[in-house]
C-alpha cells in the first residue's frame, strides 16, 4: 500500500505535467539540492536522521575524553606515544560496542631521533632542532664565524640580503619569515656558508620545520626559538659551532578501521579523520575535532544500520608525520579493493576558534593550486555547499593542497571531498564579515601548539560541521549515483518528464492516466 504522502506526490506530478509546468523531484537517493518547504534541505531519510541525532554535546564528550587521554600521557597524543595508543583504544572500543567490524591494522613509519642539536656561539648556547632533510654534521659539528642576516620584510629570501656579508665559511643566522626555509638555506649555501640557523619570528618554536625535500637540502640547517635567535645575534662575529645529527628508526603505529556489517561491499562509502596530534599538545582541534565528529556519526549510524552502501570509517595514525597511515592503507589495497571504494570524505580540523567554512574544491572552480579531484569530487563538494547554504552559512572552496589524508585517495582516482575550518592561515576582513570572526587573525592561533586544548574549540563551528559530516554520510550511504557517474533517480525522473512534455498531447494524456491508475 502506498503511503498518503506518496499518493499525494503522484497526484501533484500528474497535475503539473498536464499544466505544462517544469517539475523537480527528489528521491531517497538524490544528492541534496534546493531547500524543501519549511527551509529544510531535501535528501534521504537517513541523512536527515543522522543530522538530527549527531549532537554537539555528544561530540564534545569525545573531545573531553581525548583531552583526558592526553593529560594522563604527558600532554600529547602523538604517533608513538602512550596517548595515541589510548586514543586508538577509546575509539575502537566505542565502535565495537556499536556493532561495527573493527580492526586496528599496524603500519610502520620513519621516526627521526635527534642525536645532537646544539648551537654554541662563544658560550651562548641554544638547543637547535635539525630541520627535516637537513644533512648531518660530523660528530662535534662544524664551526665558523657567526654572520647575522639583517632583518627586513623578507630576511634571507633574496641573495641581495647577503650583500657585503662574509658568508663563505660562516655559520649564518636568519630570521624566519616571508619565504620557505629551503630558500633561505639555498641562498646561504650558494654563497659558501657551512651551516644555517633559522630563528623563529614568533613564540611557537621550530617544531615540524622542514626543507621540503632532500634535493633542496644542501647544508646543515637547524631551528631555534625567537628568544634564542635574539641571544645568538648578539654574538655576531664569534666563532660558532653547530652540531646537528639525527638517525631514522622504523616505529609501529595503528589505524582504526570500522565498517558496517550491512550494505554493498563493492561500493563502499569511506570517511576518515586523523587521530594523532603533534608532540607538543593534545591536538583537540587538530584533529580531535574531526575524529570526534566522525566517531559520533559512526555511533549514531551503528554497525548494523540499514544502508545500501557499506560505510567504512577510518581514524588515521601518523598523519602529522607525513600522512603515513592513510597513504600506507591505500597503497596496501589491490586495484579491485580500491575500486570498491566509491568515494572518500576527509575531516581535518572542523572546530577552529576563528572558524572558516571551507569545502574542498572538487571542481577546481577557484582555479587555485592543484586541479580538480577525480570525477565525483565536484558532486561531493556540492553536497556540502548545499548543506551549509540551506542553513544560511556561506562556504568557500579550499584547495586539495596535499596537506591531509585525502592525498593518496585522489592519487589512485578515488573521488574525495570534505571540510576544513582553517589552520595557521589568516582570516580576511571579508571572511570576518561573512562568518563573524576576527580579521587579520589566524583561523587557529593554537595550531600545532600546546594551547590546542578544549578551550581552543569553536562550539558553533563544531556543531555545524558535525551536522554536515552526519548528513554527507547519510546521503552517500543511501546512494552514490551522481558520484559514480550515474544520473540520480531524481535526474532520471526529470529527464523522463521533460521528454513527455515534448510528446503529442494525446500521448501525454494517455501516459499520465496510465501513471495515475497503474
Amino acid at each position: 500500500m502506498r503511503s498518503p504522502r506518496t499518493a499525494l506526490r503522484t497526484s501533484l506530478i500528474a497535475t503539473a505535467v498536464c499544466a505544462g509546468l517544469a517539475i523537480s523531484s527528489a528521491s531517497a537517493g538524490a544528492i541534496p539540492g534546493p531547500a524543501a518547504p519549511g527551509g529544510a534541505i531535501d535528501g534521504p531519510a537517513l541523512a536527515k536522521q543522522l543530522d538530527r541525532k549527531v549532537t554537539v554535546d555528544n561530540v564534545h564528550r569525545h573531545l573531553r575524553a581525548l583531552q583526558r587521554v592526553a593529560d594522563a600521557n604527558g600532554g600529547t597524543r602523538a604517533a608513538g606515544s602512550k596517548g595515541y595508543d589510548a586514543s586508538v583504544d577509546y575509539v575502537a572500543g566505542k565502535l565495537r560496542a556499536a556493532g561495527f567490524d573493527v580492526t586496528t591494522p599496524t603500519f610502520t613509519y620513519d621516526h627521526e631521533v635527534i642525536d645532537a642539536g646544539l648551537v654554541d656561539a662563544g658560550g651562548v648556547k641554544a638547543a637547535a632542532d635539525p630541520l627535516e632533510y637537513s644533512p648531518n654534521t660530523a660528530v662535534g659539528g662544524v664551526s665558523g664565524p657567526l654572520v647575522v642576516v639583517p632583518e627586513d620584510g623578507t630576511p634571507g629570501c633574496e641573495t641581495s640580503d647577503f650583500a657585503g656579508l662574509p658568508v663563505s665559511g660562516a655559520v649564518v643566522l636568519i630570521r624566519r619569515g616571508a619565504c620557505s626555509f629551503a630558500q633561505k638555506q639555498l641562498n646561504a649555501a650558494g654563497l659558501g656558508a657551512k651551516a644555517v640557523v633559522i630563528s623563529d619570528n614568533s613564540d611557537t618554536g621550530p617544531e615540524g620545520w622542514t626543507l621540503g625535500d632532500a634535493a633542496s637540502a644542501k647544508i646543515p640547517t637547524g631551528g631555534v626559538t625567537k628568544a634564542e635567535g635574539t641571544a645568538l645575534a648578539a654574538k655576531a662575529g664569534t666563532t660558532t659551532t653547530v652540531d646537528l645529527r639525527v638517525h631514522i628508526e622504523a616505529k609501529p603505529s595503528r589505524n582504526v578501521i570500522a565498517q558496517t556489517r550491512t550494505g554493498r561491499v563493492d561500493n563502499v562509502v569511506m570517511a576518515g579523520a586523523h587521530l594523532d596530534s603533534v608532540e607538543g599538545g593534545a591536538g583537540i582541534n587538530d584533529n580531535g575535532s574531526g575524529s570526534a565528529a566522525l566517531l559520533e556519526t559512526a555511533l549514531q549510524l551503528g554497525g548494523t544500520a540499514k544502508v545500501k552502501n557499506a560505510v567504512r570509517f577510518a581514524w588515521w595514525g601518523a598523519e602529522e608525520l607525513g600522512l603515513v597511515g592513510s597513504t600506507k592503507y591505500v597503497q596496501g589495497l589491490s586495484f579491485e579493493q580500491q575500486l570498491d571504494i566509491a568515494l572518500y570524505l576527509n575531516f581535518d580540523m572542523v572546530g577552529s576558534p576563528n572558524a572558516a567554512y571551507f569545502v574542498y574544491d572538487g571542481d577546481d572552480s577557484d582555479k587555485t593550486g592543484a586541479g580538480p579531484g577525480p570525477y565525483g569530487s565536484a558532486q561531493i563538494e556540492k553536497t556540502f555547499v548545499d548543506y551549509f547554504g540551506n542553513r544560511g552559512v556561506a562556504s568557500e572552496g579550499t584547495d586539495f593542497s596535499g596537506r591531509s589524508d585525502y592525498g593518496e585517495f585522489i592519487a589512485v582516482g578515488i573521488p574525495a571531498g570534505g571540510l576544513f575550518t582553517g589552520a595557521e592561515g589568516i582570516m580576511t576582513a571579508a571572511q570576518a564579515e561573512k562568518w563573524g570572526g576576527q580579521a587579520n587573525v589566524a583561523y587557529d592561533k593554537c595550531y600545532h601548539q600546546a594551547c590546542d586544548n578544549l578551550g581552543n574549540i569553536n562550539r558553533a563551528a563544531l556543531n555545524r560541521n558535525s551536522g554536515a559530516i552526519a548528513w554527507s554520510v547519510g546521503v552517500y550511504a543511501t546512494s552514490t549515483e551522481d558520484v559514480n557517474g550515474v544520473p540520480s533517480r531524481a535526474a532520471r525522473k526529470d529527464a523522463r518528464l521533460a521528454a513527455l512534455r515534448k510528446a503529442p498531447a494525446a500521448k501525454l494524456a494517455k501516459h499520465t492516466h496510465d501513471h495515475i491508475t497503474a
Side-chain angles (χ1 to χ4, degrees):
M1 179 181 293
R2 295 177 183 173
S3 71
R5 182 174 297 178
T6 302
L8 175 60
R9 183 168 63 243
T10 301
S11 176
L12 290 174
I13 289 174
T15 302
V17 170
C18 290
L21 298 176
I23 298 169
S24 178
S25 61
S27 72
I31 286 179
I41 191 171
D42 198 7
L46 179 60
K48 296 174 184 176
Q49 181 186 59
L50 283 177
D51 187 14
R52 183 177 67 254
K53 292 172 67 176
V54 172
T55 68
V56 71
D57 286 342
N58 287 345
V59 174
H60 198 266
R61 182 178 177 87
H62 300 311
L63 291 181
R64 296 202 307 274
L66 294 177
Q67 178 72 63
R68 293 186 187 186
V69 162
D71 292 344
N73 291 280
T76 187
R77 299 185 304 100
S81 71
K82 292 182 179 178
Y84 181 72
D85 289 339
S87 299
V88 168
D89 292 343
Y90 175 79
V91 171
K94 292 285 186 183
L95 294 164
R96 289 190 178 105
F100 285 91
D101 285 325
V102 182
T103 59
T104 56
T106 299
F107 60 91
T108 59
Y109 63 93
D110 289 340
H111 175 64
E112 186 177 84
V113 179
I114 298 177
D115 299 312
L118 179 68
V119 180
D120 185 346
V124 174
K125 298 180 179 181
D129 279 6
L131 270 65
E132 186 182 22
Y133 299 110
S134 170
N136 284 344
T137 65
V139 175
V142 297
S143 299
L146 182 64
V147 171
V148 181
V149 175
E151 291 188 47
D152 58 15
T154 58
C157 295
E158 296 87 26
T159 56
S160 59
D161 293 335
F162 301 82
L165 298 176
V167 175
S168 181
V171 172
V172 180
L173 178 65
I174 311 172
R175 191 70 85 178
R176 179 188 186 186
C179 65
S180 68
F181 302 122
Q183 186 60 51
K184 297 173 189 286
Q185 174 253 186
L186 286 168
N187 286 337
L191 295 171
K194 286 187 175 180
V196 167
V197 178
I198 298 175
S199 63
D200 205 354
N201 56 0
S202 68
D203 296 325
T204 59
E207 182 180 350
W209 291 5
T210 180
L211 293 175
D213 54 53
S216 299
K218 303 301 183 183
I219 56 177
T221 304
V224 298
T225 67
K226 181 179 181 180
E228 288 170 330
T230 300
L232 289 171
K235 303 295 286 186
T238 302
T239 298
T240 299
T241 298
V242 176
D243 194 359
L244 301 173
R245 286 174 286 119
V246 302
H247 73 274
I248 304 299
E249 294 180 354
K251 294 191 68 174
S253 188
R254 293 181 292 167
N255 294 323
V256 179
I257 308 294
Q259 184 162 312
T260 56
R261 300 174 188 267
T262 53
R264 289 176 55 184
V265 296
D266 62 345
N267 196 57
V268 175
V269 173
M270 193 160 187
H274 77 85
L275 187 56
D276 61 317
S277 71
V278 295
E279 288 188 7
I284 297 304
N285 184 38
D286 183 17
N287 181 37
S289 60
S291 292
L294 192 64
L295 176 58
E296 186 60 21
T297 297
L299 297 181
Q300 293 302 332
L301 177 66
T304 56
K306 293 182 179 180
V307 292
K308 293 182 180 178
N309 304 310
V311 182
R312 185 180 304 162
F313 296 94
W315 287 263
W316 307 117
E319 187 270 357
E320 298 289 3
L321 301 178
L323 316 180
V324 184
S326 59
T327 299
K328 291 205 169 186
Y329 175 81
V330 176
Q331 290 177 350
L333 300 175
S334 68
F335 179 79
E336 288 296 328
Q337 289 170 328
Q338 292 173 359
L339 197 60
D340 287 339
I341 301 174
L343 57 92
Y344 174 69
L345 307 174
N346 192 72
F347 307 110
D348 190 352
M349 302 179 67
V350 296
S352 301
N354 197 31
Y357 291 87
F358 290 130
V359 177
Y360 287 116
D361 185 17
D363 61 359
D364 195 31
S365 56
D366 294 344
K367 305 299 180 186
T368 299
Y375 184 89
S377 302
Q379 288 82 347
I380 296 171
E381 179 186 7
K382 184 178 185 299
T383 294
F384 288 117
V385 170
D386 285 351
Y387 178 88
F388 284 130
N390 279 276
R391 280 150 182 78
V393 179
S395 58
E396 291 184 8
T398 188
D399 186 45
F400 280 128
S401 62
R403 289 183 59 176
S404 197
D405 291 298
Y406 52 76
E408 197 65 20
F409 289 89
I410 288 175
V412 300
I414 296 171
L419 306 175
F420 176 51
T421 52
E424 80 278 21
I426 304 300
M427 181 173 283
T428 67
Q431 290 172 334
E433 177 69 22
K434 177 165 52 181
W435 291 321
Q438 292 180 278
N440 304 314
V441 174
Y443 303 113
D444 183 356
K445 60 185 179 182
C446 287
Y447 173 65
H448 281 189
Q449 297 179 57
C451 58
D452 186 10
N453 53 34
L454 278 176
N456 193 44
I457 291 292
N458 181 323
R459 191 174 172 89
L462 183 66
N463 185 32
R464 289 166 174 165
N465 281 275
S466 296
I469 291 169
W471 177 268
S472 65
V473 168
V475 165
Y476 292 120
T478 304
S479 173
T480 62
E481 289 175 321
D482 277 3
V483 173
N484 287 346
V486 178
S488 68
R489 296 177 186 177
R492 296 197 299 269
K493 183 179 288 186
D494 287 346
R496 289 196 299 271
L497 292 173
L500 288 172
R501 286 193 293 271
K502 296 178 181 180
K507 184 176 180 180
L508 175 61
K510 180 181 185 302
H511 178 90
T512 302
H513 179 267
D514 290 345
H515 179 71
I516 293 173
T517 58

